[in-house]
Structures are given as C-alpha cells and as structure tokens.
Amino acid sequence: MTQTTSASPVRAVTLCLPDEVFQGGRADTVGISEYGEKALAISDEIARAGYEVQTVRLSSPALDQPLSHDQLRARAAGLVEGCRRAGVGSASLGALRPSALVELEPSGVADVLVTHPSLFLAVVVADGAEVDHAAVAFNGAVVRELASRDREANFRFAAVAHLGANAPLFPGSYSDGGDAGVSVGLQSAGPLLARARAAAPRDLIEATELTRSCLHEQLAPLDDLLRPACERHGLLFHGFDPSPACAPDASIGEFVETIGGVPFGSPGTLAACAAVTTGIRSVSRPTVGYAGLMLPVLEDRVLALAWQEGRIDADSVLAYSSVCGAGTDTIPLPASTQEHEVVAMIADMAALSARWTKPLSARLMLAPPGADPHRTEFRAEQIINIDYPAA
C-alpha cells in the first residue's frame, strides 16, 4: 500500500507502555527499550507505505499513588535511558493525578522537566463532576517555576481534564497501564485546507461533511495498515486522535476561516468550530484522545496573528472550547502575569471540562522574569513569536 500525495503526515506514533515496566517504583530500562524498538518498527512499516512519520514516542501510565521526589526522578531517569537505548526521541512521564501530588512540591516537578528536555508531563485537574482546586493551584505553581528556569519547558507541561488514556498527542498523553498498544495522531490540516479551497462548502452542513469525508479518507488506509502491524508485534491498536494538527504551511485557523467565511475571531467562528468538530467526531474509525478541533495559538500562524491583533484572547478561545477540543493551548502570557491569574485560567478550563465531561487541557506559555514585555521570545521550532496585543 502506498499513500496518495494528499495524505496527511503522521504527527505521532505513540506506544502506550504497560505498568509492568514500572514495577517497584523504578523504570525497567531494558523493557522500555524493547517497547521503544517495537514502536520504531511500527513507524518503519508506516514509512515504507509512503507516509512521513514525524515523531515516535512512548507514553507512561498515569500516577495515582503518593510518590516522593526521589521516586519521580528515578522514574524519569529510567524512562529517558530506555528511550535512549531504543533511539526514541521523546516520552511522556504520564499524568499526575491529585492523589499523586501529596508528597510532591511544584519545584521538584519542575526540576524533572528541566533536567530531562525529552520528557513531557501533565497534571490531572478534573476527572469527574468537580474540579480539584488543589491540583489546579499545584499546576499553576509548576508553570511559574518552569518559566523561571527554562522558557521552553512549559511547552512540555499541561493541565488536563477528562482526557482518557492512550491518547497519542503530548503533553497530555498517558497510558492505561494495561497491555502495550499504539495510538496515532495525524497532521491533517493540510489536506483539509486543500479540500476546503477546492470544494468551497456553501454552508456549515457541507463543511461538516467535508471534514468527515476528508478525515475518513486519511484514516482508512492507515487503519488497515496499523491493525495487522500491531498484531504482528504483539501490540494493541488503540486508535487515532483525529484532531487535525496544524503545520507551518497549513493553518487550522485558515481552514476554519475558509469553511466559515469569516476572519478567525469574528462572529461565526464558534459556529464554524462546532461544524468542524462534528465532522471530526463522526469519523468511522477507532478514536482516542481529544477527537476535536484543536487551537494551539502559538503553533498556528493564523491563530497567532489573530491573538496579536486582539481578535482572540484566552476567554474567546475557551468559549470555542465549549464546542471543540481546544482548551487553552500554547497561550502566550507576558512575564507580568501573576500566578493567581495563571491558576484562574487553569480553573476556568477545568470548570468547563467538568461541566460538560469533555477532554480539555491548558498549556500556558508564560514568559520568564525579565522577558521583553512587548513580544514573545520562545526559541522552540514549533512556536511562532508574536507581539503581545495592546492592553
């Protein structure tokens, strides 16, 4: 099987690790390495079919028992070593549930992420009808700690709410701890945008169908490839996160503008976001993760410009999250932002997620102390630097 020229690049092939490689409070580097080799073998099969595979990742189980800083550091070091042996570039340390935070301090969690720049981590702030406000405050303190030590580290840290296990996209990903399996995310903004430009949907009903049919065409051949490939390697296939990831040359914001007929942030944007998400969630393939429209502000050129021009802000992005899977992702915050404001933003996301039982996250790009108060200065390749909008 060979991909068509319009097929989406594979953003992430994520192998979700079992609990067995973390028994006794330490990481089994040999076992992790063996799973990493399996993930790379799956990736090679996808590449041989003609797809571009951008990242291969490992995802660890969620942590729900109290653990010390020494235990967290040991787990992180073992995971990094297992990845190194296999040649896997990045991994999720999992998600810290509120019960795991009892003996931890925000500074200790920040230490781990700063020490290991290949690791991602999340804190669960809502997983039921109520928000865990202690976890929200803990998360806000970690954001502040990371900003003061490594201006890029908050790209690898998030608050998550109602996000299920085995999602392929970082930083919210964590495994269910059961048998190892693979999940996949696509960078499908390009094919969606090309289809919208060519088809010019007349209304939002047609936009929903365009989204559904385009994603189905992208996912079907990969599904047919991945199921037998995973079985040959003794792995489960968990499914796809069909959330269409953007690319430097393919903006999800532009796609929404094209199918909605209005500049992003104008009246009608929320309706267009809802139409796209309906199409995403109607694909007839196994899905995991957010399975909704994602709006990563500083990763998407149209969204970044809309923020710079003041057409969108944290409140409007959160409003769009009521009908999609955005949350508040890669939101630019100047260094003058107070910790209580960071906490409040996370609490707002968690409250919305808890009210509607929908997967959302908050990834807040807080500038370090002393940073330029007028413009972001992030160095990460994925980030688009912008001027802060005028107050």
Side-chain angles (χ1 to χ4, degrees):
M1 176 176 57
T2 303
Q3 79 164 88
T4 65
T5 56
S6 61
S8 300
V10 175
R11 178 70 167 262
V13 174
T14 301
L15 188 144
C16 301
L17 294 165
D19 279 325
E20 66 188 37
V21 296
F22 295 103
Q23 294 299 314
R26 301 188 69 85
D28 173 6
T29 56
V30 173
I32 291 169
S33 176
E34 290 173 351
Y35 281 116
E37 290 169 0
K38 290 187 177 186
L40 290 168
I42 296 290
S43 172
D44 288 344
E45 292 199 34
I46 298 172
R48 285 196 297 272
Y51 289 85
E52 175 192 350
V53 179
Q54 296 177 339
T55 61
V56 178
R57 303 164 166 181
L58 301 182
S59 185
S60 307
L63 293 160
D64 56 10
Q65 299 294 322
L67 74 163
S68 68
H69 289 295
D70 286 344
Q71 289 173 318
L72 186 64
R73 283 192 289 266
R75 186 182 180 98
L79 180 59
V80 169
E81 174 60 17
C83 288
R84 186 196 66 78
R85 293 186 183 189
V88 172
S90 60
S92 167
L93 195 51
L96 297 170
R97 297 193 185 277
S99 52
L101 303 177
V102 176
E103 299 177 15
L104 294 174
E105 295 292 336
S107 58
V109 173
D111 285 341
V112 169
L113 285 171
V114 171
T115 301
H116 300 292
S118 64
L119 292 186
F120 292 70
L121 182 64
V123 170
V124 178
V125 294
D127 200 20
E130 302 295 332
V131 174
D132 191 302
H133 289 284
V136 169
F138 188 98
N139 193 287
V142 175
V143 169
R144 172 63 69 184
E145 288 279 347
L146 290 174
S148 68
R149 302 186 197 191
D150 179 351
R151 73 176 64 227
E152 316 301 327
N154 272 309
F155 189 75
R156 298 180 285 111
F157 179 69
V160 297
H162 287 99
L163 179 63
N166 305 322
L169 301 178
F170 285 10
S173 176
Y174 63 93
S175 80
D176 62 14
D179 293 340
V182 169
S183 59
V184 169
L186 301 186
Q187 192 173 74
S188 54
L192 281 168
L193 183 56
R195 181 75 63 88
R197 287 169 173 167
R202 291 171 295 181
D203 54 34
L204 293 181
I205 295 174
E206 286 193 3
T208 293
E209 176 55 25
L210 181 150
T211 303
R212 186 207 64 79
S213 62
C214 183
L215 290 178
H216 177 78
E217 290 171 11
Q218 301 294 316
L219 296 176
L222 269 173
D223 192 14
D224 293 341
L225 185 159
L226 283 164
R227 289 177 188 270
C230 287
E231 185 175 354
R232 284 193 298 273
H233 291 282
L235 301 169
L236 301 175
F237 177 53
H238 293 305
F240 300 97
D241 189 335
S243 308
C246 62
D249 60 348
S251 162
I252 197 63
E254 184 179 352
F255 173 66
V256 174
E257 289 185 336
T258 303
I259 61 98
V262 297
F264 202 96
S266 300
T269 299
L270 189 146
C273 289
V276 173
T277 295
T278 299
I280 293 169
R281 292 185 175 168
S282 62
V283 296
S284 57
R285 296 289 162 169
T287 61
V288 290
Y290 297 95
L293 180 66
M294 304 294 289
L295 302 174
V297 172
L298 288 185
E299 290 186 84
D300 184 292
R301 55 182 175 78
V302 170
L303 301 180
L305 180 61
W307 189 284
Q308 177 174 284
E309 294 179 348
R311 289 185 278 123
I312 61 173
D313 58 17
D315 288 339
S316 58
V317 171
L318 196 61
Y320 304 145
S321 299
S322 66
V323 297
C324 62
T328 45
D329 193 14
T330 59
I331 297 294
L333 300 177
S336 59
T337 308
Q338 299 299 304
E339 187 173 318
H340 70 85
E341 297 175 277
V342 173
V343 170
M345 293 176 67
I346 298 167
D348 282 348
M349 177 280 294
L352 181 62
S353 175
R355 176 62 181 84
W356 298 112
T357 319
K358 69 196 314 290
L360 296 175
S361 61
R363 183 164 47 156
L364 306 179
M365 301 300 293
L366 178 63
D372 187 334
H374 305 294
R375 184 170 177 83
T376 64
E377 299 177 309
F378 298 108
R379 296 184 297 269
E381 181 181 356
Q382 305 94 323
I383 294 295
I384 299 166
N385 284 303
I386 62 170
D387 295 334
Y388 294 112

